[in-house]
Amino acid sequence: MVSQRLTVVRLMAAGEYYRFGRFGTKVSLSVFYFPVLTGEERERLEIKAYFRQKLTSDFSLSISPYYTYDSLPPLAGAEQEDWGWTTSVGWQF
């Protein structure tokens, strides 16, 4: 038996800010809400953010936190929530 589910992005909000110049800044945030419309009742939420700051004209630092929630994870016993962040250092030449 094959189980099929239909997922539709029910809610999406996103924004971005960018400041130009030698010490430019970029900030963005996005929120996605996915309800499953067929099959078992399930909903997912994803939140992602991004922050980059130029420290000199060629050197930058970035931080990207994220959060996800799944009311019915695909594997039994799996966590419903996941969060963390990534960081990076960039050199542009």
Side-chain angles (χ1 to χ4, degrees):
M1 183 169 140
V2 176
S3 173
Q4 295 182 352
R5 294 185 178 154
L6 175 63
T7 304
V8 177
V9 175
R10 188 67 181 242
L11 171 69
M12 184 199 91
E16 187 173 280
Y17 168 79
Y18 188 79
R19 184 182 69 185
F20 295 96
R22 182 179 169 148
F23 300 104
T25 303
K26 180 178 181 182
V27 178
S28 66
L29 175 68
S30 59
V31 178
F32 298 93
Y33 173 68
F34 304 93
V36 174
L37 302 176
T38 60
E40 296 180 66
E41 186 176 323
R42 180 180 179 190
E43 57 189 7
R44 292 177 42 216
L45 174 68
E46 294 182 8
I47 302 172
K48 297 177 184 178
Y50 177 79
F51 173 78
R52 183 185 73 209
Q53 177 65 53
K54 288 178 112 179
L55 302 175
T56 67
S57 61
D58 298 332
F59 184 67
S60 64
L61 175 66
S62 300
I63 299 173
S64 301
Y66 63 89
Y67 172 80
T68 59
Y69 169 79
D70 191 338
S71 65
L72 187 62
L75 298 173
E79 295 289 327
Q80 288 184 322
E81 295 179 302
D82 184 31
W83 63 274
W85 64 83
T86 57
T87 58
S88 63
V89 175
W91 184 265
Q92 185 177 16
F93 54 94

